[in-house]
Amino acid sequence: IAGAGAQVGMTEAQIMALSAALSSVGLEADAGGTAISTVISKMSLAVAQGGEELEQFSAVAGVTGAEFKEIFEQDAAGAILAFIKGLARLNEEGGSAIRTLDDMGLSDIRVRDALLRASGASDVFAEALDIANTAWDENIALSKEAEQRYKTMESRLQLLKNSVAALGIAIYESTDEGLGSAVD
């Protein structure tokens, strides 16, 4: 997932969230990773090329092609989640997620299994992404705060260093004057 996710601008937190969510629905890491990477790649290609494939992804997500493209370009993980939720909605409304995936060329057994499990637990995926994004934001905020504190500490240490240097110069000059008058 990391390779495909990085290509579409997903954060490490989002990639980890998708991985954790796949694991929590009982998918083995290699099967789930391969499947979601395939979906990410196919979705990215559809967004780049437009046309029927983009319309299929957007129809499942419940938005227009232009809206799906914008969502994907700004937040690929959000677009994936919208697609997964759309598959869940299809099943709830009496449609067939299996048939839809087959029509989209997502009929590989691993891909279909991963997406069907994900759609059955779309709330797990939404929660995992929400937790990951919150944790990521908090980590960034903590890093920025620490950076500010380090800058403040660095400034204070520099002032202390300057004061010690000035004190050393003053002592040297006063000692030099005292020695100079004793030699005379």
Side-chain angles (χ1 to χ4, degrees), residues 35-69 71-72 76 78-87 89-90 100-101 103-107 111 115:
I36 291 299
S37 293
T38 300
V39 172
I40 291 169
S41 297
K42 193 163 176 87
M43 197 177 281
S44 178
L45 189 59
V47 166
Q49 293 179 339
E52 185 179 338
E53 287 189 359
L54 175 60
E55 293 305 318
Q56 289 174 321
F57 277 110
S58 64
V60 171
V63 296
T64 67
E67 289 171 329
F68 190 83
K69 180 177 180 168
I71 293 168
F72 186 83
I80 294 164
L81 181 60
F83 180 72
I84 289 170
K85 286 182 173 183
L87 288 173
R89 189 174 51 254
L90 267 174
T100 300
L101 292 173
D103 291 345
M104 295 179 70
L106 294 170
S107 56
V111 171
L115 289 172

Side-chain angles (χ1 to χ4, degrees), residues 3-52:
Q7 290 296 313
V8 297
M10 291 172 59
T11 65
E12 289 103 358
Q14 291 171 326
I15 291 166
M16 292 299 294
L18 279 179
S19 300
L22 287 167
S23 175
S24 72
V25 296
L27 286 168
E28 292 180 24
D30 59 340
T34 299
I36 291 299
S37 293
T38 300
V39 172
I40 291 169
S41 297
K42 193 163 176 87
M43 197 177 281
S44 178
L45 189 59
V47 166
Q49 293 179 339
E52 185 179 338

Side-chain angles (χ1 to χ4, degrees), residues 71-181:
I71 293 168
F72 186 83
E73 289 173 344
Q74 292 178 5
D75 178 17
I80 294 164
L81 181 60
F83 180 72
I84 289 170
K85 286 182 173 183
L87 288 173
R89 189 174 51 254
L90 267 174
N91 281 334
E92 290 168 4
E93 295 172 353
S96 173
I98 293 173
R99 183 172 184 187
T100 300
L101 292 173
D102 199 41
D103 291 345
M104 295 179 70
L106 294 170
S107 56
D108 176 80
I109 190 72
R110 284 184 174 187
V111 171
R112 185 171 38 208
D113 184 41
L115 289 172
L116 292 175
R117 287 186 194 210
S119 70
S122 60
D123 56 328
V124 171
F125 282 76
E127 184 179 358
L129 284 169
D130 187 45
I131 289 169
N133 287 332
T134 300
W136 183 266
D137 291 343
E138 287 174 1
N139 183 45
I140 289 173
L142 287 173
S143 294
K144 286 181 180 178
E145 185 176 330
E147 184 180 321
Q148 291 301 318
R149 290 183 185 263
Y150 293 146
K151 283 182 181 177
T152 302
M153 179 60 106
E154 183 180 3
S155 297
R156 288 183 179 170
L157 287 173
Q158 186 61 45
L159 288 172
L160 176 64
K161 180 180 169 186
N162 292 346
S163 296
V164 168
L167 178 64
I169 291 169
I171 291 172
Y172 174 78
E173 288 176 351
S174 69
T175 306
D176 191 38
E177 287 176 11
L179 289 176
S181 59

